Amino acid sequence: MTKPTPKKRRLSMEQKQSLAGWAFLLPATLLIVCLSFYPMFKALLTSFMRGKPTALVYSDPLWRNYQFMLKDKVFIQSITNTFTYLIIQVPIMLILAIIFASLLNNKDLKFRGLFRTCIFLPCATGLVAYSMIFRTLFTYDGMINNVLLKFGLISEAINWLNDPVYAKAVIIIGLIWRWTGYNMVFYLSAMQGIEYSIYEAARIDGANAYQQLIRITIPLLRPIILVTAVMSTNGTLQLFDESVNLTRGGPANMTITMSHYIYNTMFLNNPNFGYAAAMSFVILIMVAILAAIQMKVGDKR
């Protein structure tokens, strides 16, 4: 008597969908692991090493690079400079972005498309190109000094790029000019989901434009404001192009950023991969802590 052949167990629809999902995710997951997480792990190991790039050995003690950071005056100055840009530039930029988005969300405003394009256009400008333009505008005999002298706002030309305070101001102005329109687009798109009848009802009740902005727009935009704040903080802590192309980190490292100093340490000034990797992880920790604080403060659920 022959034994009955066992029936093959068929996969359920849910299992098939799960397998299909993993099949689509697997290539991207492998790429992320290979191109992001593995280099991060190697960088962490490198941060505990010293020596020439071709002959790295583990430091004794292992945390030697992190200890040296506390004594490195240039690194401490780069942290001070970066947080100065962060504290001044990010709030001004986000406030201007909200104001512009609120103004351009008015359906009765003529040429709205033109104004939106003009404000967003700086974001589409190349980083190196706009840095070169700003460097030309703010030279000792540049257009900014000529205009200020012509209108009698200053008595003598300002050496913008060779004075520590003015050089920082130039970087902050450049950042605000370039990234305000980028954040404005986020707010403007979020405002499209707010019923215009709410503003009309508020206007009938006697609310002016400022009251509508404070009582209606900003509370409803809280989630997207949180997102842009986190992204702007992350971007500012990794600021590189403006420091390199606008001021070269000068005068005397008074405008250098953390990323700029890491670049100099790794590739220019007696390359030190271990110390540069250690500084990179300090930036990672700073970004994570500030993002966590912003999420904690901004989440009102």
Side-chain angles (χ1 to χ4, degrees):
M1 185 176 180
T2 58
K3 294 182 180 180
T5 56
K7 292 183 178 180
K8 292 183 178 180
R9 184 170 175 269
R10 293 185 177 181
L11 297 176
S12 65
M13 182 60 69
E14 184 178 349
Q15 290 174 324
K16 290 180 180 179
Q17 290 174 346
S18 178
L19 286 175
W22 280 110
F24 281 110
L25 285 175
L26 189 60
T29 304
L30 291 175
L31 284 174
I32 292 172
V33 170
C34 294
L35 300 179
S36 294
F37 289 104
Y38 177 71
M40 287 172 62
F41 176 72
K42 289 291 291 184
L44 179 61
L45 295 180
T46 305
S47 71
F48 296 113
M49 295 181 176
R50 62 179 177 85
K52 295 181 179 180
T54 55
L56 290 172
V57 295
Y58 283 101
S59 302
D60 185 22
L62 280 176
W63 51 88
R64 179 182 176 186
N65 289 326
Y66 294 93
Q67 281 183 329
F68 183 72
M69 268 186 262
L70 300 175
K71 305 173 184 177
D72 189 349
K73 293 182 179 179
V74 179
F75 181 66
I76 294 173
Q77 182 63 52
S78 71
I79 292 176
T80 304
N81 296 338
T82 304
F83 273 88
T84 300
Y85 304 142
L86 175 67
I87 293 169
I88 297 175
Q89 173 255 333
V90 171
I92 294 174
M93 177 184 64
L94 296 183
I95 290 171
L96 286 176
I98 292 173
I99 292 172
F100 286 144
S102 182
L103 292 173
L104 296 177
N105 192 46
N106 185 355
K107 66 178 183 179
D108 298 324
L109 180 67
K110 295 181 179 180
F111 307 112
R112 284 190 302 168
L114 176 62
F115 293 137
R116 291 175 182 177
T117 303
C118 290
I119 296 174
F120 180 76
L121 199 57
C123 181
T125 307
L127 287 167
V128 176
Y130 109 82
S131 297
M132 294 296 100
I133 292 171
F134 265 70
R135 190 172 178 83
T136 303
L137 290 174
F138 284 94
T139 54
Y140 190 77
D141 57 349
M143 190 183 79
I144 299 299
N145 275 335
N146 291 335
V147 171
L148 294 177
L149 287 169
K150 184 175 181 180
F151 286 95
L153 298 175
I154 56 175
S155 57
E156 59 180 0
I158 299 173
N159 200 351
W160 293 94
L161 300 177
N162 290 319
D163 181 277
V165 176
Y166 288 124
K168 286 189 179 81
V170 171
I171 290 178
I172 290 171
I173 291 169
L175 290 170
I176 292 172
W177 175 82
R178 191 172 195 277
W179 295 110
T180 297
Y182 177 81
N183 290 284
M184 181 201 72
V185 170
F186 284 94
Y187 299 142
L188 196 56
S189 62
M191 287 180 185
Q192 306 301 310
I194 302 175
E195 289 292 337
Y196 200 76
S197 59
I198 298 175
Y199 293 102
E200 292 177 339
R203 198 176 298 113
I204 292 171
D205 290 338
N208 55 35
Y210 174 77
Q211 291 172 328
Q212 293 175 38
L213 178 65
I214 298 298
R215 299 297 180 87
I216 299 175
T217 305
I218 292 179
L220 293 176
L221 291 182
R222 187 185 297 276
I224 198 67
I225 291 174
L226 177 62
V227 170
T228 54
V230 171
M231 290 194 305
S232 300
T233 300
N234 186 6
T236 305
L237 288 178
Q238 300 178 63
L239 192 63
F240 177 78
D241 295 271
E242 287 75 8
S243 175
V244 173
N245 297 310
L246 267 176
T247 63
R248 310 286 194 268
N253 294 320
M254 293 304 293
T255 60
I256 195 170
T257 60
M258 292 186 288
S259 295
H260 187 183
Y261 184 49
I262 290 172
Y263 173 81
N264 289 348
T265 303
M266 182 169 283
F267 298 112
L268 299 181
N269 306 330
N270 189 20
N272 188 338
F273 282 19
Y275 186 46
M279 289 190 288
S280 299
F281 270 89
V282 170
I283 294 181
L284 174 64
I285 293 170
M286 289 180 180
V287 170
I289 291 173
L290 287 175
I293 292 173
Q294 289 171 329
M295 292 293 289
K296 186 69 176 178
V297 173
D299 191 358
K300 297 297 182 182
R301 289 177 297 179

